Amino acid sequence: MGPRTAAVGVDVDSLHHYYRIHGLDEAQASEAAWAVGVPRFIALFAELGIPATFYCVAEDLDRPGNADHLRACVAAGHEIGNHTWHHRYDLVRLDADTRRAEVAEGRARLEAAAGAPVVGFRSPGYTTSAGLQADVHASGHTYDSSVFPCAPYYLAKAGVMGLMRLRGRRSHSILGPPQVLAAPRGPYRASRADPHRRGDGLPQFPVSVAAGVPLIGTAFTALGAAASVASVAVGLRLQRHLTVEFHAADLLSLADDGLDPRLGVQPDLKVPVARKRAIFHAALGHLARHARVARLADLAAEAPSSAA
Ligand SMILES: [Zn+2]
């Protein structure tokens, strides 16, 4: 058994997507996720000496300034991953041509802007399907990291969407199939017929869950530093590889960054940036001391078939 590995990712969802998911008018969305959140993550990773992957939405590059932040990620030694062209939460329900374009155009546009290879894919809302996997594979990606086998997250998402329906608001989010809860916890080659099962298809790096705790930024924020470090430690004891996930907005706050107060529907945006940064620093510091942290593109290239 070799040394443990870990990967750290940041989904760069612009605030527009938060307005959409909560059914708010996105006209007032700012570029703070790109302009403020991304540089804060680059600085945090530099302090810890860890390479990461930034999963980006290609349409965001059409707005001024964002492509410069994308290139800053590359210049700092990070990988750019494909988080699709338009971040359609209903990606798996789109017709095949539109779905394929979301995947292939997203990759092509990100690669052109980054000036670096884009080989990793993460689906909006962690929802995937056999058809989507086939598109991801055929469009030149070498790995996928869209499976999130987390019951608390799944149930919370179902609960929030039910609540919004009761209030007469429509979320653009969709709930994927519950098979995701039975997916392997560690990296695996996915079945071509069902990406949530093992097979001979594309390498899949699920977002990690340790003893029921999802290793994601909002969970760390809710837990605080000591419990976040403990959950990373438990994960490292139980699994050979951990995939830890953040969103660029995880290092933003309403008060610190003067954001639209309506975004307070995301409770973690009420937590000061300094507090969240200290929690993430503690959790990632523990990870970096006990595992080899590498970009997923590099881990996928190493030995995907032996990763189990
Ligand atoms: Zn996203």
Side-chain angles (χ1 to χ4, degrees):
M1 197 157 154
R4 281 172 167 61
T5 59
V8 177
V10 180
D11 289 4
V12 185
D13 294 3
S14 71
L15 292 178
H16 301 74
H17 307 297
Y18 288 79
Y19 282 74
R20 277 179 216 168
I21 202 169
H22 293 293
L24 301 168
D25 173 18
E26 68 182 82
Q28 288 168 46
S30 78
E31 299 297 346
W34 275 98
V36 183
V38 167
R40 283 178 183 158
F41 270 103
I42 291 176
L44 176 65
F45 296 151
E47 246 171 59
L48 294 160
I50 58 177
T53 304
F54 288 81
Y55 296 92
C56 302
V57 180
E59 75 162 348
D60 289 353
L61 304 177
D62 298 341
R63 299 191 302 273
N66 293 341
D68 294 331
H69 295 295
L70 180 90
R71 285 187 280 271
C73 296
V74 177
H78 302 299
E79 173 192 357
I80 301 300
N82 180 8
H83 199 32
T84 75
W85 189 3
H86 297 101
H87 203 268
R88 294 282 301 265
Y89 286 106
D90 55 355
L91 186 60
V92 297
R93 294 184 187 166
L94 299 176
D95 66 85
D97 286 345
T98 312
R99 189 190 63 209
R100 200 172 301 126
E102 282 294 315
V103 175
E105 269 294 310
R107 175 172 185 252
R109 285 164 181 255
L110 288 165
E111 209 161 53
V118 171
V119 299
F121 182 81
R122 172 160 293 141
S123 179
Y126 310 102
T127 307
T128 187
S129 66
L132 177 57
Q133 280 292 286
D135 295 340
V136 171
H137 210 161
S139 54
H141 297 84
T142 62
Y143 76 91
D144 181 54
S145 181
S146 298
V147 168
F148 186 20
C150 178
Y153 171 81
Y154 189 84
L155 294 172
K157 193 169 168 184
V160 167
M161 289 170 64
L163 217 60
M164 287 179 66
R165 269 196 297 276
L166 285 177
R167 291 175 182 156
R169 289 219 309 256
R170 183 173 163 267
S171 172
H172 291 270
S173 192
I174 67 163
L175 199 61
Q179 292 94 287
V180 65
L181 297 178
R185 292 295 192 264
Y188 61 100
R189 272 194 184 274
S191 156
R192 290 166 204 270
D194 177 359
H196 305 104
R197 287 183 309 162
R198 294 178 193 278
D200 64 351
L202 200 60
Q204 173 66 235
F205 291 85
V207 175
S208 293
V209 181
V213 177
L215 300 185
I216 62 173
T218 47
F220 293 146
T221 296
L223 289 170
S228 295
V229 170
S231 64
V232 168
V234 167
L236 288 168
R237 210 164 301 147
L238 299 176
Q239 298 169 39
R240 287 189 56 190
H241 170 88
L242 295 180
T243 298
V244 178
E245 185 51 32
F246 294 90
H247 282 81
D250 288 347
L251 280 179
L252 297 179
S253 92
L254 298 182
D256 292 326
D257 301 310
L259 303 180
D260 182 346
R262 288 181 300 168
L263 288 171
V265 288
Q266 287 280 136
D268 56 295
L269 282 174
K270 294 176 179 166
V271 180
V273 171
R275 175 171 161 73
K276 292 195 279 193
R277 193 184 198 283
I279 294 169
F280 298 168
H281 193 284
L284 292 176
H286 186 89
L287 188 72
R289 283 191 298 278
H290 295 91
R292 179 170 63 92
V293 182
R295 311 183 315 170
L296 271 186
D298 299 328
L299 292 176
E302 280 175 16
S305 55
S306 69

PDB file of all heavy atoms in Angstrom, residues 210-225:
ATOM      1  N   ALA A 210     -16.215  11.310   4.918  1.00  0.00           N
ATOM      2  CA  ALA A 210     -15.518  10.576   5.976  1.00  0.00           C
ATOM      3  C   ALA A 210     -16.454  10.396   7.155  1.00  0.00           C
ATOM      4  O   ALA A 210     -16.827  11.377   7.799  1.00  0.00           O
ATOM      5  CB  ALA A 210     -14.260  11.326   6.402  1.00  0.00           C
ATOM      6  N   ALA A 211     -16.828   9.154   7.437  1.00  0.00           N
ATOM      7  CA  ALA A 211     -17.747   8.857   8.542  1.00  0.00           C
ATOM      8  C   ALA A 211     -18.982   9.755   8.491  1.00  0.00           C
ATOM      9  O   ALA A 211     -19.395  10.338   9.489  1.00  0.00           O
ATOM     10  CB  ALA A 211     -17.015   8.998   9.886  1.00  0.00           C
ATOM     11  N   GLY A 212     -19.537   9.903   7.300  1.00  0.00           N
ATOM     12  CA  GLY A 212     -20.767  10.673   7.138  1.00  0.00           C
ATOM     13  C   GLY A 212     -20.548  12.167   6.917  1.00  0.00           C
ATOM     14  O   GLY A 212     -21.481  12.885   6.569  1.00  0.00           O
ATOM     15  N   VAL A 213     -19.316  12.654   7.120  1.00  0.00           N
ATOM     16  CA  VAL A 213     -19.055  14.084   6.942  1.00  0.00           C
ATOM     17  C   VAL A 213     -18.503  14.340   5.540  1.00  0.00           C
ATOM     18  O   VAL A 213     -17.459  13.791   5.175  1.00  0.00           O
ATOM     19  CB  VAL A 213     -18.021  14.597   7.977  1.00  0.00           C
ATOM     20  CG1 VAL A 213     -17.701  16.063   7.722  1.00  0.00           C
ATOM     21  CG2 VAL A 213     -18.538  14.383   9.382  1.00  0.00           C
ATOM     22  N   PRO A 214     -19.187  15.141   4.734  1.00  0.00           N
ATOM     23  CA  PRO A 214     -18.643  15.463   3.413  1.00  0.00           C
ATOM     24  C   PRO A 214     -17.443  16.390   3.554  1.00  0.00           C
ATOM     25  O   PRO A 214     -17.506  17.359   4.320  1.00  0.00           O
ATOM     26  CB  PRO A 214     -19.807  16.184   2.724  1.00  0.00           C
ATOM     27  CG  PRO A 214     -20.658  16.719   3.824  1.00  0.00           C
ATOM     28  CD  PRO A 214     -20.469  15.801   5.002  1.00  0.00           C
ATOM     29  N   LEU A 215     -16.356  16.073   2.844  1.00  0.00           N
ATOM     30  CA  LEU A 215     -15.145  16.891   2.966  1.00  0.00           C
ATOM     31  C   LEU A 215     -15.234  18.057   1.979  1.00  0.00           C
ATOM     32  O   LEU A 215     -14.536  18.099   0.959  1.00  0.00           O
ATOM     33  CB  LEU A 215     -13.896  16.042   2.747  1.00  0.00           C
ATOM     34  CG  LEU A 215     -13.742  14.888   3.756  1.00  0.00           C
ATOM     35  CD1 LEU A 215     -12.409  14.172   3.555  1.00  0.00           C
ATOM     36  CD2 LEU A 215     -13.861  15.390   5.201  1.00  0.00           C
ATOM     37  N   ILE A 216     -16.134  18.987   2.291  1.00  0.00           N
ATOM     38  CA  ILE A 216     -16.368  20.156   1.443  1.00  0.00           C
ATOM     39  C   ILE A 216     -16.344  21.419   2.308  1.00  0.00           C
ATOM     40  O   ILE A 216     -16.552  21.360   3.522  1.00  0.00           O
ATOM     41  CB  ILE A 216     -17.724  20.063   0.699  1.00  0.00           C
ATOM     42  CG1 ILE A 216     -18.897  20.014   1.674  1.00  0.00           C
ATOM     43  CG2 ILE A 216     -17.747  18.833  -0.213  1.00  0.00           C
ATOM     44  CD1 ILE A 216     -20.264  20.091   1.000  1.00  0.00           C
ATOM     45  N   GLY A 217     -16.108  22.551   1.651  1.00  0.00           N
ATOM     46  CA  GLY A 217     -15.911  23.815   2.356  1.00  0.00           C
ATOM     47  C   GLY A 217     -17.051  24.190   3.285  1.00  0.00           C
ATOM     48  O   GLY A 217     -16.818  24.601   4.431  1.00  0.00           O
ATOM     49  N   THR A 218     -18.303  24.051   2.817  1.00  0.00           N
ATOM     50  CA  THR A 218     -19.419  24.482   3.661  1.00  0.00           C
ATOM     51  C   THR A 218     -19.541  23.602   4.907  1.00  0.00           C
ATOM     52  O   THR A 218     -19.933  24.086   5.967  1.00  0.00           O
ATOM     53  CB  THR A 218     -20.746  24.456   2.873  1.00  0.00           C
ATOM     54  OG1 THR A 218     -20.841  23.223   2.164  1.00  0.00           O
ATOM     55  CG2 THR A 218     -20.814  25.603   1.874  1.00  0.00           C
ATOM     56  N   ALA A 219     -19.185  22.324   4.790  1.00  0.00           N
ATOM     57  CA  ALA A 219     -19.214  21.445   5.964  1.00  0.00           C
ATOM     58  C   ALA A 219     -18.121  21.850   6.947  1.00  0.00           C
ATOM     59  O   ALA A 219     -18.350  21.912   8.161  1.00  0.00           O
ATOM     60  CB  ALA A 219     -19.046  19.982   5.547  1.00  0.00           C
ATOM     61  N   PHE A 220     -16.921  22.161   6.443  1.00  0.00           N
ATOM     62  CA  PHE A 220     -15.832  22.619   7.320  1.00  0.00           C
ATOM     63  C   PHE A 220     -16.257  23.885   8.069  1.00  0.00           C
ATOM     64  O   PHE A 220     -16.035  24.020   9.266  1.00  0.00           O
ATOM     65  CB  PHE A 220     -14.557  22.905   6.517  1.00  0.00           C
ATOM     66  CG  PHE A 220     -13.909  21.680   5.906  1.00  0.00           C
ATOM     67  CD1 PHE A 220     -13.251  21.766   4.675  1.00  0.00           C
ATOM     68  CD2 PHE A 220     -13.929  20.457   6.560  1.00  0.00           C
ATOM     69  CE1 PHE A 220     -12.648  20.662   4.107  1.00  0.00           C
ATOM     70  CE2 PHE A 220     -13.316  19.333   5.993  1.00  0.00           C
ATOM     71  CZ  PHE A 220     -12.669  19.440   4.769  1.00  0.00           C
ATOM     72  N   THR A 221     -16.871  24.814   7.337  1.00  0.00           N
ATOM     73  CA  THR A 221     -17.320  26.066   7.957  1.00  0.00           C
ATOM     74  C   THR A 221     -18.308  25.784   9.087  1.00  0.00           C
ATOM     75  O   THR A 221     -18.224  26.374  10.169  1.00  0.00           O
ATOM     76  CB  THR A 221     -17.964  26.979   6.900  1.00  0.00           C
ATOM     77  OG1 THR A 221     -16.958  27.337   5.937  1.00  0.00           O
ATOM     78  CG2 THR A 221     -18.522  28.249   7.522  1.00  0.00           C
ATOM     79  N   ALA A 222     -19.222  24.857   8.848  1.00  0.00           N
ATOM     80  CA  ALA A 222     -20.222  24.532   9.862  1.00  0.00           C
ATOM     81  C   ALA A 222     -19.598  23.820  11.062  1.00  0.00           C
ATOM     82  O   ALA A 222     -20.022  24.015  12.197  1.00  0.00           O
ATOM     83  CB  ALA A 222     -21.328  23.663   9.254  1.00  0.00           C
ATOM     84  N   LEU A 223     -18.558  23.002  10.812  1.00  0.00           N
ATOM     85  CA  LEU A 223     -17.963  22.195  11.880  1.00  0.00           C
ATOM     86  C   LEU A 223     -16.985  22.970  12.747  1.00  0.00           C
ATOM     87  O   LEU A 223     -16.802  22.657  13.921  1.00  0.00           O
ATOM     88  CB  LEU A 223     -17.209  21.003  11.264  1.00  0.00           C
ATOM     89  CG  LEU A 223     -18.023  19.890  10.627  1.00  0.00           C
ATOM     90  CD1 LEU A 223     -17.097  18.941   9.873  1.00  0.00           C
ATOM     91  CD2 LEU A 223     -18.807  19.122  11.685  1.00  0.00           C
ATOM     92  N   GLY A 224     -16.275  23.942  12.171  1.00  0.00           N
ATOM     93  CA  GLY A 224     -15.179  24.600  12.875  1.00  0.00           C
ATOM     94  C   GLY A 224     -13.873  23.842  12.676  1.00  0.00           C
ATOM     95  O   GLY A 224     -13.861  22.750  12.103  1.00  0.00           O
ATOM     96  N   ALA A 225     -12.766  24.443  13.169  1.00  0.00           N
ATOM     97  CA  ALA A 225     -11.436  23.915  12.847  1.00  0.00           C
ATOM     98  C   ALA A 225     -11.190  22.527  13.435  1.00  0.00           C
ATOM     99  O   ALA A 225     -10.757  21.614  12.727  1.00  0.00           O
ATOM    100  CB  ALA A 225     -10.363  24.896  13.304  1.00  0.00           C
TER     101      ALA A 225
END
